[in-house]
Amino acid sequence: QVQLVESGGGLVQAGGSLRLSCAASGRTFSRYAMGWFRQAPGKEREFVAAIDWSGSRTYYSDSVKGRFTISRDNAKNTLFVQMNSLKPEDTAVYYCAAQFTTWGSSNQHDYPYWGQGTQVTVSS
């Protein structure tokens, strides 16, 4: 089992930046691949980014590629996503998720562990 708690969400103007964090507790964090997902009002939850257990491999959705950067600090049991050049369409609840494997997928159904989410609102 692993417990996940997101933080860092808030209200930001278009073009601004935010850094989300996801603190993990429970089983050894470094044995989990991690992902970020988001869900906008009235829409399905969608993949944002994934990172492997070591932090050496990352993968992004086309909608955030070049603007978002996923990273992790295994010594501090924390996952991050740096979000730059934010757009109003990035407004959503952002979730971190964990799966007990070396490489994170873009399929939300592969992730058994989820945080409670943090709201990101980008104003135009």
Side-chain angles (χ1 to χ4, degrees):
Q1 288 280 352
V2 62
Q3 292 77 44
L4 304 171
V5 179
E6 301 95 335
S7 62
L11 173 64
V12 64
Q13 288 189 331
S17 298
L18 279 176
R19 188 192 197 203
L20 305 184
S21 299
C22 172
S25 61
R27 296 183 66 177
T28 308
F29 177 68
S30 62
R31 300 181 70 180
Y32 287 84
M34 303 293 295
W36 285 100
F37 293 79
R38 66 187 183 187
Q39 187 167 20
K43 295 187 176 181
E44 297 290 320
R45 187 159 57 186
E46 66 174 1
F47 169 74
V48 173
I51 190 167
D52 75 341
W53 66 276
S54 70
S56 61
R57 294 172 61 194
T58 58
Y59 177 62
Y60 299 91
S61 68
D62 288 342
S63 61
V64 307
K65 195 176 299 182
R67 299 188 298 122
F68 289 15
T69 302
I70 188 172
S71 62
R72 66 191 296 162
D73 185 339
N74 286 345
K76 296 183 178 180
N77 290 352
T78 307
L79 174 74
F80 304 98
V81 62
Q82 176 67 42
M83 307 187 296
N84 298 329
S85 302
L86 283 162
K87 306 175 182 179
E89 50 264 43
D90 294 318
T91 295
V93 177
Y94 283 72
Y95 299 90
C96 65
Q99 58 175 295
F100 194 56
T101 184
T102 55
W103 170 235
S105 77
S106 59
N107 186 342
Q108 61 177 305
H109 301 292
D110 290 336
Y111 291 83
Y113 305 110
W114 292 82
Q116 83 290 346
T118 185
Q119 176 70 47
V120 171
T121 303
V122 184
S123 63
S124 58

